Amino acid sequence: ISCFAGTGGKFDKKLYRKEADEAFKAGSIFSAADLYLKIWENDSSDKSVLFNLAQSYFLARDYETAATWFKRGYYADSAANTLSLYYAALTTKMQGKYAGAIPMFKQFGKVYKGDDAVKMKKWAKIEIDGCNFAMKEAHPDPSIKFKHLGKEVNSNYADQSPALKDGVLYFSSIHADTVLTMKKDRSDAKKDDVLMKLYTSKVNGEDYTPAEQVKTFSQKGKHISNSAFSEDGIRFL
């Protein structure tokens, strides 16, 4: 994209902004970030690009850079960019900097006046609770040991909701050993490939036997997950 025009290659800010906004809406976040950054480098008085610039880095999961730009956006114009403070706190939290995120979440709760203030302040409180929990649990109990269960149980896709009873591990999984894709025109049978199903694996000493699907609970087009036993161990929920 060439957005320089006129004598001496004058910077065409209007064209750059158009290209940046279109790239952002189309999901071309890396291109959008480059374009918004170029606008800021050529006109640092234009504070309107800062939020989308920060959002581009956020969507690219570059949380450290995103946090920097969210903070810059907020301090450049705190009235117009108050929401940037929430995201500055969020991206700081995502880096594991919990103590640094908490004051920003608290400040956001005090100053945010948007139409969705009740909802956003509630989320800020939840995030603060999450930060406090993370700091409290930062040093796990050394008596707790983790062990990877190997390819017999763990798959390349999601595995969740384990329940152990009588030497048998029950869990839900998209247990596939091939690359799965999803298209709108695929049949329901193919769509079932990406649904959670119930599996079991027997404890065999320190190891586990290869996972086997429990087809009794299969329902076409439905996820089967979050398995659990009743307290007396009789009912499977």
Side-chain angles (χ1 to χ4, degrees):
I1 299 172
S2 178
C3 297
F4 288 88
T7 305
K10 183 179 178 181
F11 178 73
D12 190 335
K13 177 181 170 181
K14 184 177 180 180
L15 180 56
Y16 251 98
R17 185 58 187 261
K18 179 176 180 294
E19 296 286 353
D21 289 344
E22 288 181 354
F24 187 85
K25 291 177 182 177
S28 299
I29 51 179
F30 296 103
S31 295
D34 289 342
L35 291 165
Y36 285 127
L37 182 59
K38 184 63 69 174
I39 294 171
W40 177 255
E41 290 174 342
N42 281 269
D43 183 7
S44 60
S45 66
D46 186 356
K47 302 176 180 64
S48 65
V49 303
L50 290 174
F51 186 77
N52 277 4
L53 172 58
Q55 280 282 31
S56 298
Y57 286 116
F58 176 67
L59 293 172
R61 300 184 181 181
D62 184 350
Y63 301 129
E64 184 176 3
T65 306
T68 298
W69 285 103
F70 279 127
K71 290 176 187 176
R72 185 173 293 186
Y74 174 70
Y75 290 114
D77 190 345
S78 59
N81 293 331
T82 311
L83 194 59
S84 290
L85 184 57
Y86 174 83
Y87 283 102
L90 185 64
T91 46
T92 299
K93 177 195 172 189
M94 287 175 165
Q95 297 174 65
K97 300 175 181 179
Y98 307 113
I102 290 175
M104 288 188 281
F105 280 125
K106 288 182 176 179
Q107 179 65 12
F108 173 79
K110 293 177 181 178
V111 302
Y112 189 61
K113 307 295 182 183
D115 293 337
D116 57 348
V118 173
K119 180 185 73 174
M120 291 305 300
K121 289 181 180 183
K122 179 180 179 180
W123 275 112
K125 177 62 169 62
I126 291 172
E127 294 292 352
I128 290 172
D129 291 342
C131 288
N132 285 323
F133 176 80
M135 288 190 293
K136 181 181 177 182
E137 299 298 323
H139 304 289
D141 187 338
S143 65
I144 299 175
K145 296 182 180 180
F146 295 90
K147 178 183 177 181
H148 191 282
L149 300 187
K151 63 181 180 179
E152 285 76 18
V153 174
N154 294 122
S155 70
N156 293 326
Y157 295 92
D159 307 305
Q160 64 180 45
S161 308
L164 187 64
K165 184 179 186 298
D166 297 333
V168 179
L169 177 67
Y170 296 79
F171 66 100
S172 298
S173 175
I174 302 175
H175 212 77
D177 55 7
T178 58
V179 176
L180 299 176
T181 59
M182 190 69 174
K183 296 181 180 179
K184 291 182 179 179
D185 59 352
R186 298 190 73 182
S187 68
D188 288 338
K190 291 295 183 181
K191 290 179 182 178
D192 277 350
D193 290 345
V194 294
L195 294 176
M196 284 280 177
K197 301 177 183 66
L198 182 66
Y199 290 85
T200 60
S201 175
K202 295 180 181 179
V203 179
N204 183 19
E206 292 292 321
D207 300 313
Y208 289 78
T209 61
E212 296 183 3
Q213 184 185 350
V214 181
K215 296 184 178 180
T216 306
F217 297 99
S218 296
Q219 294 186 46
K220 191 175 181 62
K222 301 290 185 181
H223 287 288
I224 306 299
S225 63
N226 302 318
S227 56
F229 288 91
S230 60
E231 188 174 356
D232 57 14
I234 297 176
R235 290 179 297 149
F236 184 75
L237 310 174

